[in-house]
């Protein structure tokens, strides 16, 4: 009986390993998506890099482990040349980021909106544990109203940028924030931080 149970257990484990190994076939497609994302950053005037691609750039082993988990396979199943498909774009983007992180100064936003900026800052600190918000400002002095094709308000928003110092990143980066209020027949609802960052362009910390 023990031998039978052992044999069944080994079979199940081997089947799981085979499935995991098979799922690594998605590696090529995922590296293709990553290369496209890197190319998009290269094509962008500000060379804005998503959080995911920053992880690939600065902590590739972490990115590899997370991708392996998504594909349900072991990082050890990756071929030794797993980064070859992205290497050219990654190295070029890293070169640009290194230069801009050392030389590009953040242009302060024109206005201050203390309430909305405090909301955005709180979201940034929650999103990036251990991060520091060094500078923050608003693009608008007052609410910017968005109307539909009939001229009816649908929402109003405040947009701005913050300079963040994020652990694991060699340079500071500027990320966008937006606080929005939905229009609800006769008035606007509560302020909501629609999205804090998720991508940034690199600047000096000064």
């Amino acid at each position: 009986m023990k031998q039978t149970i052992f044999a069944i257990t080994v079979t199940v484990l081997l089947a799981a390993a085979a499935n995991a190994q098979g799922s690594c076939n998605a590696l090529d497609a995922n590296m293709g998506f990553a290369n496209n994302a890197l190319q998009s950053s290269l094509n962008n005037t500000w060379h804005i890099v998503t959080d995911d691609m920053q992880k690939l750039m600065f902590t590739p082993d972490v990115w590899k482990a997370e991708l392996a988990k998504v594909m349900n396979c072991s990082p050890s199943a990756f071929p030794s040349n797993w980064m070859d498909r992205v290497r050219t774009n990654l190295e070029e983007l890293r070169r640009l980021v290194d230069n801009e992180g050392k030389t590009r100064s953040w242009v302060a936003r024109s206005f201050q909106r203390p309430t909305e900026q405090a909301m955005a800052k709180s979201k940034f600190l929650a999103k990036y544990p251990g991060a520091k918000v060094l500078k923050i400002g608003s693009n608008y002095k007052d609410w910017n109203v968005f109307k539909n094709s009939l001229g009816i308000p649908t929402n109003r928003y405040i947009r701005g940028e913050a300079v963040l110092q994020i652990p694991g990143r060699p340079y500071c980066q500027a990320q966008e924030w937006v606080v929005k209020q939905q229009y609800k027949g006769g008035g606007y609802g509560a302020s909501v931080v629609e999205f804090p960052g998720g991508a940034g362009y690199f600047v000096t910390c000064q």
Side-chain angles (χ1 to χ4, degrees), residues 123-137:
K123 289 292 186 179
F124 278 125
L125 296 180
K127 185 180 181 70
Y128 303 109
K132 296 178 181 178
V133 178
L134 303 182
K135 305 171 187 177
I136 191 167

Side-chain angles (χ1 to χ4, degrees), residues 17-35:
N19 287 336
Q21 179 65 31
S23 67
C24 278
N25 290 334
L27 177 61
D28 187 60
N30 277 284
M31 297 311 293
F33 293 142
N35 202 46

